[in-house]
Amino acid sequence: MLKLIFRRLVDLIPTLFVVATTVFIITRLIPGDPAAVLLGPQASPDEIAKMRESLGLNQPLYLQYVEFLGSLLQGDLGTSLGYNQPVMSLIMERFPNTLLLSACALALSLLIGIPAGIISATKQYSVWDYTVMILSLVGVSMPIFWLGVMLVLYFSVYLGWLPATGMGSLSEGFGSVVTHLILPSIALSTIPMATFARITRSSMLEVIRQDYIKTARAKGLREFFVVWKHALKNAMTPLLTVMGMQISSMLGGAVLTETIFSWPGMGRLVVDAIENRDFVVVQGTVLFIAVIFVLINLLVDILYTVVNPRVKLSNKGEG
């Protein structure tokens, strides 16, 4: 186990190097002058030139790149051009908001997606099965931005039941935060929910045809225990893989959801940074998300050894 964790942490180094290099090149290709954007349309050419000099934008790109990598080695993500604050502090301000939204969306997708997949598998070719499959296909195919706009139009503008934007405040009561969470959580959870339902169904169909499941039923065990205790545990391995990918996608890909609902998370921070040509914030945020990706995949690998003993034996054999 320790060897697996160490190997994955070592893998983080080349991954971050490739991500850092790629994002550095891409951010420099974005059209627009950060100095001109920061000073506004009334700035004179001399003022813009002085700002470029102070920001180090007049240096050759290779020098900027070396300086960027040198700061990374020291754990410094740089200072935001627009906010004039360390990028890490900006991320730490926004990350809890993104984490809260992603956690609610994940809980919603798991609570609905997995039971729906189990019901679909245990009642194959029934009305329930066809309903779950059709709804999951619609959920996977539905664009998040379109769904988000429709939710706002119907539940906020037309019915007036839920707030359309923002995340509320605990000073206004816990209910304020909950009501602000509902619509963005639904929008963000739709695709993972549909994916979990489809993966659970296919994995459960494979497991419930195994001989040990037939033996458990022949012993007279209740169907509830056969399905939820014996079959589901062995069907979890492919589900864990998809779960890790979906969690990573939620944390890193909540840009559209946070933009539509004006949710003050990392996705909104990246969008604002791109609009302001604040490439330092874009670089830092992308690198931070890359680290989260690797750590979540590491956690999934550890969970494999808990759910599937054969993976644990394989790791011991390697050690």
Side-chain angles (χ1 to χ4, degrees):
M1 178 67 72
L2 291 177
K3 186 177 180 180
L4 172 68
I5 295 174
F6 178 75
R7 188 168 65 242
R8 287 307 179 94
L9 291 178
V10 171
D11 291 343
L12 184 62
I13 297 174
T15 302
L16 288 182
F17 175 75
V18 173
V19 172
T21 303
T22 304
V23 73
F24 178 86
I25 296 172
I26 292 177
T27 51
R28 266 46 178 200
L29 294 176
I30 297 175
D33 187 345
V37 174
L38 287 173
L39 293 174
Q42 305 301 326
S44 66
D46 288 342
E47 291 173 330
I48 294 175
K50 289 180 181 177
M51 177 63 80
R52 287 183 59 81
E53 183 69 27
S54 65
L55 296 177
L57 300 177
N58 288 333
Q59 292 182 333
L61 274 182
Y62 74 90
L63 286 180
Q64 295 184 39
Y65 178 65
V66 171
E67 185 177 343
F68 168 59
L69 290 184
S71 299
L72 278 185
L73 290 176
Q74 300 174 25
D76 182 10
L77 294 179
T79 301
S80 166
L81 303 179
Y83 296 97
N84 197 27
Q85 293 181 29
V87 173
M88 183 54 77
S89 68
L90 287 173
I91 292 175
M92 288 297 102
E93 288 176 5
R94 304 296 186 95
F95 181 61
N97 299 338
T98 298
L99 192 62
L100 174 64
L101 175 59
S102 300
C104 291
L106 177 65
L108 191 62
S109 58
L110 289 175
L111 289 174
I112 297 178
I114 292 179
I118 293 175
I119 292 172
S120 180
T122 54
K123 300 182 181 301
Q124 190 179 17
Y125 303 131
S126 67
V127 175
W128 293 103
D129 184 23
Y130 290 124
T131 303
V132 170
M133 285 299 95
I134 292 172
L135 290 178
S136 63
L137 182 61
V138 172
V140 169
S141 309
M142 191 176 298
I144 291 181
F145 67 90
W146 181 85
L147 176 61
V149 171
M150 291 300 105
L151 288 173
V152 169
L153 285 176
Y154 191 72
F155 290 101
S156 298
V157 178
Y158 180 67
L159 295 176
W161 289 354
L162 296 167
T165 58
M167 65 173 293
S169 173
L170 287 176
S171 61
E172 301 171 357
F174 184 70
S176 171
V177 178
V178 173
T179 53
H180 282 82
L181 264 172
I182 293 176
L183 292 185
S185 296
I186 292 174
L188 189 59
S189 67
T190 301
I191 292 179
M193 187 189 303
T195 304
F196 290 153
R198 296 178 70 84
I199 295 297
T200 303
R201 178 184 182 273
S202 61
S203 185
M204 285 291 290
L205 281 175
E206 183 178 346
V207 171
I208 60 178
R209 292 167 181 160
Q210 300 294 321
D211 290 339
Y212 67 89
I213 295 295
K214 297 177 182 175
T215 303
R217 284 173 172 158
K219 287 181 179 178
L221 291 178
R222 293 176 60 185
E223 186 67 14
F224 178 83
F225 290 105
V226 173
V227 172
W228 287 89
K229 184 177 180 181
H230 297 282
L232 181 59
K233 181 179 179 181
N234 291 288
M236 282 294 290
T237 303
L239 191 60
L240 281 176
T241 304
V242 177
M243 196 183 302
M245 296 171 62
Q246 293 296 331
I247 294 173
S248 302
S249 299
M250 284 181 184
L251 288 172
V255 174
L256 287 175
T257 305
E258 293 184 358
T259 303
I260 293 170
F261 294 97
S262 295
W263 189 266
M266 287 197 304
R268 186 63 190 274
L269 177 65
V270 171
V271 172
D272 291 342
I274 293 174
E275 291 177 350
N276 296 323
R277 307 299 187 271
D278 194 344
F279 56 81
V280 183
V281 172
V282 178
Q283 291 171 173
T285 308
V286 172
L287 283 172
F288 183 81
I289 292 172
V291 173
I292 296 295
F293 266 55
V294 175
L295 294 180
I296 288 176
N297 285 325
L298 173 61
L299 179 62
V300 170
D301 287 342
I302 294 174
L303 289 176
Y304 280 157
T305 65
V306 176
V307 174
N308 190 344
R310 288 173 295 181
V311 176
K312 184 184 294 184
L313 290 175
S314 174
N315 288 332
K316 286 181 178 178
E318 290 177 7

